[in-house]
Amino acid sequence: MASLFFFFFFFCQLLLGLGRNFVAGAGQVPAMFVFGDSLVDPGNNNQLLTLAKADYKPHGIDFPEGTTGRFCNGGTVVDHLGYLLGLPLIPPFNNPDTHGIAILQGVNYGSAASGILNDTGELYGNRIPMDEQLQNFNATIQELSSMLLDKTQDHIRRSLFLLAPGSNDYINNYLLPLSKRRSKYTPETFANLLIQQFGRQLKDLYDLGARKFLIVNISPIGCIPNQLASHGSDTGACVESVNQMASQYNRKLKEMVDQYNAQLKESTFLYWDAFSFALNVIENYANYGFKNQNTACCGGGKWKGQVLCLPVFSPCQNRSEYVFWDPYHPTDAFNVIASKDAYQGNLQASFPRNVQQLVES
Ligand SMILES: *[C@@H]1O[C@H](CO)[C@@H](O)[C@H](O)[C@H]1NC(C)=O
Ligand SMILES: *[C@@H]1O[C@H](CO)[C@@H](O)[C@H](O)[C@H]1NC(C)=O
Ligand SMILES: *[C@@H]1O[C@H](CO)[C@@H](O)[C@H](O)[C@H]1NC(C)=O
């Protein structure tokens, strides 16, 4: 009888402990919700009819979980940021197992080839554009509510929302040879369109209860092997005109983030300047331990930037020596140092300056 009582007591403690962990989170935030494209997609496109998939080798060749649908030899920048925050790998929304307790520490909605605009990436087939990613988050809220009841809004308010869209609105929309968008918009008015749409999407998330945002700007997409190849670069130097478009968008994005920080009460929008960080790594690659900053480790054609990393290609021997894994995406080695920059780096001139301070605030 005593032992039964003891067992029951122990069982209750266990449940309480678990409940505390799941509600308050074992990590520095209870959960992380992720939105964006193939830079963050952990396998959402595996279930879609699309050419933008990475559910085959050699993707994942250096990843403990193996091939998952990530466009990388290892972990994405989000995976590595998650490790720093004490979170497990955040599951893809589209995976049939992503329900119940699996969603308590976050969900990743990112989809390869997708963008801020609905038509971005249509060349590849199906994908989940940002507006649909938000609708999917809305479905997650319903499911969270069934488990966390009146604690749901508090859970969302204390969670980290990472958003990294926009690259594909250039690479797989505006910059395409027969782009309809380019015949209607100048680089400036196109950037305005993106900011207007992304601004609305952020406001939607705020209205759904999100308060801690990490906004990742567009990387120096003029430096990726795909753009070196499509602009016929002979030297491997970054394509300036493309980087300027990204910079123009980024300046407007920063203005919007400043404005939202001032306007939207009780919320914090961190702006991570991934552009400057990545450009610095590319320009000073040897200082970061890389031996190659312009050829993909896995791909085909010039700069290995013309053909996607396919199962028939052998990747480079030592992935840690390369900045780029395939024509579009960085290696695990790059993502490791990038996540540290977001976590500990000096992101903007006001408090909080980095993710570590954001989650502690
Ligand atoms: C994008 O498509 C979704 C439907 O999937 C729709 O709800 C949304 O309004 C569209 N966005 C724009 C800006 O047209
Ligand atoms: C979320 O769902 C509610 C109804 O369940 C709807 O009113 C709202 O417009 C949705 N918001 C977004 C951003 O999809
Ligand atoms: C791979 O490259 C990294 C960075 O240059 C180096 O530190 C490491 O020793 C290399 N590994 C092998 C197995 O050669």
Side-chain angles (χ1 to χ4, degrees):
M1 192 64 200
S3 68
L4 189 65
F5 175 79
F6 183 77
F7 176 78
F8 181 72
F9 179 76
F10 179 76
F11 186 68
C12 288
Q13 288 294 312
L14 188 74
L15 274 185
L16 271 174
L18 279 179
R20 204 161 36 234
N21 272 349
F22 283 129
V23 177
Q28 297 164 33
V29 282
M32 174 161 66
F33 298 95
V34 183
F35 304 81
D37 54 31
S38 54
L39 291 169
V40 300
D41 184 351
N44 279 311
N45 279 24
N46 294 0
Q47 336 281 335
L48 303 182
L49 197 60
T50 173
L51 293 173
K53 273 183 197 236
D55 56 350
Y56 54 84
K57 285 182 178 146
H59 292 294
I61 185 172
D62 301 312
F63 199 47
E65 321 286 315
T67 301
T68 56
R70 286 166 171 80
F71 289 76
C72 192
N73 60 310
T76 66
V77 69
V78 165
D79 298 328
H80 288 292
L81 184 64
Y83 296 147
L84 293 171
L85 288 166
L87 293 172
L89 291 175
I90 305 299
F93 177 83
N94 257 356
N95 188 313
D97 294 334
T98 306
H99 291 289
I101 60 166
I103 69 172
L104 288 176
Q105 286 183 292
V107 178
N108 187 325
Y109 307 90
S111 167
S114 79
I116 294 168
L117 303 178
N118 277 345
D119 60 329
T120 289
E122 60 192 356
L123 196 75
Y124 282 92
N126 290 340
R127 71 252 168 248
I128 312 166
M130 280 295 284
D131 276 341
E132 215 178 304
Q133 293 185 30
L134 295 188
Q135 288 166 12
N136 290 343
F137 173 62
N138 219 351
T140 298
I141 296 182
Q142 304 310 313
E143 194 177 345
L144 282 173
S145 302
S146 72
M147 292 183 284
L148 301 177
L149 310 175
D150 62 342
K151 300 275 196 295
T152 309
Q153 277 308 309
D154 184 59
H155 181 79
I156 292 169
R157 191 169 48 75
R158 291 185 298 114
S159 295
L160 180 65
F161 286 75
L162 186 150
L163 296 101
S167 303
N168 282 326
D169 294 291
Y170 286 94
I171 301 169
N172 287 313
N173 195 336
Y174 194 77
L175 291 167
L176 290 177
L178 296 172
S179 170
K180 276 181 253 151
R181 296 286 186 177
R182 205 167 60 236
S183 59
K184 289 207 192 104
Y185 293 89
T186 65
E188 165 114 43
T189 57
F190 186 68
N192 290 342
L193 173 72
L194 293 181
I195 294 296
Q196 182 206 339
Q197 291 299 317
F198 188 31
R200 176 186 50 78
Q201 289 157 354
L202 286 174
K203 183 65 172 35
D204 283 348
L205 272 181
Y206 177 87
D207 289 340
L208 290 171
R211 290 296 178 269
K212 292 183 177 189
F213 295 88
L214 175 59
I215 314 295
V216 185
N217 73 2
I218 299 188
S219 291
I221 46 180
C223 304
I224 64 176
N226 159 269
Q227 289 296 308
L228 300 185
S230 65
H231 286 81
S233 171
D234 287 324
T235 60
C238 304
V239 183
E240 270 313 308
S241 59
V242 173
N243 275 352
Q244 271 165 21
M245 278 182 211
S247 297
Q248 185 173 38
Y249 167 86
N250 286 340
R251 276 194 299 277
K252 291 173 190 286
L253 178 64
K254 177 72 167 63
E255 277 171 29
M256 178 178 69
V257 167
D258 288 343
Q259 201 186 330
Y260 275 16
N261 269 323
Q263 279 173 6
L264 298 180
K265 294 291 164 245
E266 288 161 24
S267 63
T268 308
F269 292 79
L270 271 188
Y271 175 82
W272 179 35
D273 188 1
F275 183 100
S276 299
F277 175 76
L279 195 61
N280 184 32
V281 173
I282 289 166
E283 284 172 350
N284 304 291
Y285 61 96
N287 295 350
Y288 291 89
F290 295 109
K291 294 200 173 132
N292 189 308
Q293 86 293 15
N294 49 25
T295 310
C297 168
C298 180
K302 203 165 187 190
W303 306 109
K304 298 205 177 171
Q306 283 170 304
V307 185
L308 294 172
C309 174
L310 298 173
V312 292
F313 295 136
S314 308
C316 60
Q317 278 295 312
N318 186 343
R319 273 74 67 181
S320 305
E321 292 177 351
Y322 282 70
V323 171
F324 290 102
W325 160 244
D326 70 5
Y328 300 93
H329 310 98
T331 52
D332 179 83
F334 175 89
N335 289 334
V336 168
I337 55 174
S339 65
K340 283 182 189 148
D341 185 66
Y343 187 68
Q344 299 166 333
N346 193 2
L347 302 194
Q348 58 182 34
S350 62
F351 184 85
R353 283 184 294 272
N354 56 41
V355 175
Q356 192 170 19
Q357 290 167 342
L358 176 70
V359 300
E360 284 164 3
S361 68

